[in-house]
Amino acid sequence: MSGPKYDFLLLCRARKPGIKLSSTTVDFGPCFVTRQPVPLRKMLVVHNVDSSAISIETDFEKKPHLDVLLVPGQVLMPDSTDEADKLQIPILFTPRDIKSYSETVTFDFNNLYKVDVLVKGEGIPLQLELKDPDQAFLDFGIVSVGGDVTKTVPLINKSKKPVSFRLTPADVNGFNKCCLSCSPSGDVTLKPREVLQVELRFNPKVRLPNFRHDLMLEVEGNNLMRQGEPIP
């Protein structure tokens, strides 16, 4: 080889994108499995603390129990004091079976840097039951007009987590016309193994024909209302 020879000194520095995640674990904890499954939602917040725009993608494919709502081609602009510049990614968990769930969702930043986020939860049965199953049918018998009879029915939470609910007659107007009342009548939260004494009162003001009314449970699980069901 002829000719002059030149030496070049090349200096470079590599760094990962300046990304901050609210968490690398999204834990839904115990969640009730209902007859009509309803998605439960948590938000994963991603903040670009870099000086340049950063793209974010995921190859996670929707599953019956888990979905990640990330728009393809999403770009995060550089750091800003504006909260709106933080990307909130909805994570939807829909437990359908009584078991533990665990999935890893990988996020790809700039097609160079990957971050794994663990999403986990547990499907559990809703076990809000009568302490004495024989009280599923409550008979006040014959009560004279002007009489006042109150019966107590203990309700127990055998679930692994607290249950928020309310007791509601299936036919509110018919229930009231029959001079029936139920206590408590508002929202109630029962801790695991806790017992609630439900009072049912019959105070007839006039003669009434034989009647039968169902008392329903309107259960709130993870902030989602479920259709009322007869007390089991």
Side-chain angles (χ1 to χ4, degrees):
M1 178 181 293
S2 61
K5 179 182 178 180
Y6 300 96
D7 292 330
F8 292 92
L9 177 62
L10 301 178
L11 298 176
C12 61
R13 184 177 63 179
R15 62 179 176 81
K16 63 184 181 181
I19 286 294
K20 182 179 179 181
L21 276 69
S22 57
S23 177
T24 54
T25 300
V26 180
D27 189 357
F28 284 87
C31 304
F32 293 124
V33 176
T34 59
R35 294 179 182 177
Q36 297 179 343
V38 178
L40 308 173
R41 178 186 297 249
K42 283 184 178 288
M43 305 301 289
L44 177 68
V45 182
V46 184
H47 190 187
N48 179 2
V49 295
D50 209 306
S51 58
S52 304
I54 296 175
S55 65
I56 175 174
E57 301 276 356
T58 182
D59 58 0
F60 182 82
E61 296 183 359
K62 180 180 179 181
K63 298 185 177 182
H65 63 278
L66 186 63
D67 193 11
V68 179
L69 303 183
L70 177 62
V71 178
Q74 186 75 53
V75 175
L76 292 173
M77 300 309 294
D79 184 29
S80 169
T81 57
D82 189 350
E83 287 292 319
D85 288 339
K86 295 182 179 180
L87 176 63
Q88 298 194 41
I89 304 174
I91 309 292
L92 304 182
F93 176 52
T94 312
R96 299 176 183 275
D97 299 297
I98 309 299
K99 68 175 188 178
S100 295
Y101 293 85
S102 181
E103 296 281 354
T104 298
V105 180
T106 301
F107 294 96
D108 189 339
F109 298 94
N110 284 347
N111 294 318
L112 294 171
Y113 178 59
K114 299 181 185 294
V115 176
D116 289 338
V117 174
L118 176 64
V119 181
K120 60 182 180 178
E122 181 184 5
I124 63 172
L126 173 61
Q127 295 177 293
L128 186 59
E129 306 171 359
L130 294 173
K131 192 171 184 180
D132 180 4
D134 290 340
Q135 289 187 304
F137 298 95
L138 197 63
D139 188 357
F140 283 99
I142 299 175
V143 180
S144 301
V145 173
D148 196 335
V149 177
T150 299
K151 294 196 174 186
T152 301
V153 179
L155 199 60
I156 185 170
N157 178 18
K158 295 183 179 180
S159 308
K160 292 177 62 175
K161 63 176 291 186
V163 181
S164 296
F165 66 96
R166 67 166 54 208
L167 295 165
T168 306
D171 178 2
V172 177
N173 290 334
F175 193 81
N176 293 333
K177 287 179 179 179
C178 288
C179 304
L180 294 167
S181 61
C182 175
S183 177
S185 57
D187 294 334
V188 179
T189 298
L190 275 188
K191 299 176 182 178
R193 310 307 305 176
E194 188 175 3
V195 176
L196 173 70
Q197 302 295 335
V198 178
E199 291 188 352
L200 293 166
R201 181 187 179 195
F202 180 38
N203 179 215
K205 306 297 183 182
V206 295
R207 291 177 60 89
L208 295 168
N210 292 338
F211 60 81
R212 171 176 170 167
H213 287 283
D214 290 325
L215 196 60
M216 314 292 282
L217 285 174
E218 220 174 43
V219 179
E220 182 181 356
N222 296 351
N223 299 324
L224 294 170
M225 294 305 296
R226 192 176 71 148
Q227 182 178 359
E229 296 181 354
I231 298 177

